[in-house]
């Protein structure tokens, strides 16, 4: 008896370390409810159990209001679940987690700082506080950082003439590019992006998709990427989660689909035109959506499917 208890305790001590190495983000039986203005409450996320390994690129799909942004805020540590636990890098999230870079849907930039100042702000503060700025080492670091920020902003499609502009002087799409550059400059181990590409025109969107995929391939952060676009999800992600709205009284989780996506290294513009990709796209639409008179609509079938790995799929 005593031995078994000791063994159990030893396992508990070891577990978080193992979890940190393999699982970057874990949602354990997470339920989130919001109070309704007229009394009562509404369950948004229900008994979510998701384990995300370090380096996975997870796209989160689902109709408006099904809790995608809520899920991201839980991982970020901006909000906390009513039940269950959110664990990042083996530790329960208790405050805004410094490991997470976050690109929200809008209002991501400091309005009173220029584009360059916005991008430098995070890394400079991570390097040292105000006092540390007196040291020569800081200025050397800042010169290198500026060069890196310049590269990142150009890569995201900004021109050097934009660097001294303020967010208010830029279009929404340009602001979003700066926000993405700002997040990537921190080289976060976890990157949370909430419909970050929704406001962009199709060609900018395609180019930023490629930039993001390249950046992910270089440093392999763990990405949670919320999108409304199934094709975008399948082009970028290694795994797709489709959520569905929770209906009161339902007992199961509101994960509709949890599926691996075969990963390839070809450019996205090539990939999106392949027959294999078209088939994959059709497959996911059949799993998660149904054609209706009003367009595509999510079907709450409770389906959870595992996609065959590349090569396993029947032609
Ligand atoms: N802070 C909040 N207080 C009350 N209700 C909220 C809050 N945040 C989100 N909700 C509600 O939770 C549901 C899910 O919201 P959200 O996570 O933003 O969905 P999605 O991002 O999938 O569109 C919506 O019905 C929304 O109105
Ligand atoms: Mg949202």
């Amino acid at each position: 008896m005593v031995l078994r208890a000791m063994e159990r305790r030893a396992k508990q001590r070891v577990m978080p370390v193992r979890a940190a190495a393999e699982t970057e983000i874990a949602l354990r039986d997470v339920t989130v409810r919001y109070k309704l203005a007229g009394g009562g409450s509404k369950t948004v996320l229900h008994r979510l159990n998701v384990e995300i390994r370090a380096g996975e690129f997870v796209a989160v799909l689902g109709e408006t209001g099904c809790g995608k942004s809520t899920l991201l805020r839980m991982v970020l540590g901006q909000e906390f679940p009513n039940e269950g636990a959110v664990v990042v890098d083996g530790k329960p999230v208790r405050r805004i987690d410094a490991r997470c870079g976050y690109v929200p849907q809008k209002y991501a930039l400091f309005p009173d700082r220029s584009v360059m100042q916005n991008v430098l702000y995070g890394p400079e503060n991570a390097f040292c506080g105000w006092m540390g700025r007196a040291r020569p080492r800081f200025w050397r670091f800042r010169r290198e950082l500026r060069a890196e920020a310049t590269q990142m902003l150009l890569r995201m499609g900004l021109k050097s003439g934009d660097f001294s502009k303020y967010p208010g002087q830029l279009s929404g799409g340009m602001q979003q590019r700066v926000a993405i550059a700002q997040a990537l400059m921190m080289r976060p181990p976890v990157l949370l992006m909430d419909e970050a590409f929704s406001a962009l025109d199709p060609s900018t969107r395609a180019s930023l998709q490629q930039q993001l995929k390249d950046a992910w391939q270089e440093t392999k952060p763990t990405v949670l990427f919320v999108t409304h676009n199934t094709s975008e999800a399948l082009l970028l992600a290694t795994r797709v989660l489709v959520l569905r709205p929770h209906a009161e009284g339902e007992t199961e989780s509101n994960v509709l689909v949890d599926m691996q996506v075969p990963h390839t290294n070809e450019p996205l513009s090539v990939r999106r035109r392949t027959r294999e990709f078209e088939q994959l796209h059709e497959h996911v639409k059949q799993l998660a959506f149904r054609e209706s008179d009003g367009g595509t609509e999510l079907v709450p079938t409770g389906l959870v499917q595992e996609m065959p790995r590349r090569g396993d799929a029947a032609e």
Side-chain angles (χ1 to χ4, degrees):
M1 269 307 261
V2 176
L3 262 178
R4 213 170 290 155
M6 278 170 69
E7 216 178 313
R8 215 172 29 239
R9 243 174 282 144
K11 262 195 198 140
Q12 279 164 356
R13 264 203 307 275
V14 172
M15 284 250 308
V17 179
R18 210 179 55 207
E22 294 167 1
T23 303
E24 181 83 62
I25 302 168
L27 304 162
R28 306 218 167 108
D29 243 353
V30 165
T31 293
V32 179
R33 281 185 288 270
Y34 288 120
K35 286 207 172 73
L36 294 173
S41 67
K42 172 189 161 76
T43 302
V44 177
L45 298 177
H46 188 246
R47 308 205 68 159
L48 243 62
N49 276 296
V50 181
E51 302 250 329
I52 298 171
R53 289 183 303 280
E56 276 194 282
F57 193 130
V58 183
V60 184
L61 284 160
E63 67 184 76
T64 303
C66 69
K68 304 181 295 297
S69 298
T70 303
L71 172 64
L72 252 55
R73 290 197 299 269
M74 297 292 145
V75 176
L76 180 67
Q78 205 173 48
E79 289 175 36
F80 307 97
N82 298 76
E83 286 162 34
V86 181
V87 178
V88 174
D89 192 27
K91 293 179 274 299
V93 174
R94 299 199 199 284
R95 60 186 71 83
I96 291 195
D97 198 303
R99 292 177 62 81
C100 297
Y102 179 46
V103 184
Q105 250 171 296
K106 48 188 170 178
Y107 308 126
L109 303 173
F110 299 109
D112 55 343
R113 291 174 204 265
S114 71
V115 164
M116 183 56 90
Q117 285 168 340
N118 260 284
V119 173
L120 294 178
Y121 180 82
E124 278 180 0
N125 279 289
F127 183 77
C128 63
W130 284 103
M131 294 301 281
R133 287 166 196 239
R135 284 183 279 153
R137 208 155 66 86
F138 172 73
W139 296 102
R140 201 167 53 242
F141 165 77
R142 197 168 196 272
R143 259 199 316 278
E144 287 163 12
L145 199 63
R146 251 191 120 81
E148 198 183 318
T150 301
Q151 287 307 314
M152 185 63 86
L153 286 166
L154 293 174
R155 189 176 175 178
M156 289 298 144
L158 278 108
K159 302 201 170 54
S160 52
D162 297 326
F163 294 0
S164 55
K165 287 186 182 161
Y166 288 84
Q169 297 173 281
L170 302 174
S171 68
M174 292 301 254
Q175 289 186 43
Q176 201 60 335
R177 294 175 200 230
V178 180
I180 295 162
Q182 188 187 47
L184 290 177
M185 277 295 286
M186 290 299 285
R187 301 214 187 109
V190 176
L191 185 58
L192 307 171
M193 299 180 77
D194 197 351
E195 296 190 39
F197 294 166
S198 300
L200 305 174
D201 62 83
S203 74
T204 307
R205 188 171 187 153
S207 113
L208 282 184
Q209 285 169 350
Q210 186 66 58
Q211 297 299 354
L212 177 64
K213 186 103 185 188
D214 292 347
W216 172 77
Q217 243 150 356
E218 280 162 29
T219 53
K220 283 283 161 72
T222 310
V223 184
L224 265 181
F225 183 89
V226 170
T227 176
H228 271 294
N229 189 317
T230 318
S231 156
E232 177 170 85
L234 294 169
L235 277 174
L236 294 174
T238 58
R239 178 175 171 188
V240 169
L241 282 184
V242 185
L243 302 183
R244 67 194 169 101
H246 173 77
E248 279 320 311
E250 265 181 346
T251 48
E252 68 261 43
S253 123
N254 47 331
V255 174
L256 175 62
V257 175
D258 183 354
M259 191 187 90
Q260 300 292 324
V261 179
H263 173 65
T264 64
N265 285 327
E266 62 214 317
L268 301 185
S269 56
V270 175
R271 170 92 176 130
R272 82 164 76 231
R273 286 198 298 269
T274 60
R275 182 143 177 274
E276 190 195 4
F277 182 75
E278 213 172 278
Q279 284 174 341
L280 179 65
H281 197 187
E282 277 309 309
H283 176 73
V284 172
K285 280 202 294 195
Q286 273 171 22
L287 280 182
F289 300 91
R290 160 178 77 195
E291 292 297 328
S292 70
D293 292 343
T296 46
E297 179 192 339
L298 271 170
V299 193
T301 57
L303 254 179
V304 178
Q305 289 241 346
E306 189 78 8
M307 192 47 202
R309 291 253 165 217
R310 191 181 163 88
D312 295 348
E315 264 300 293

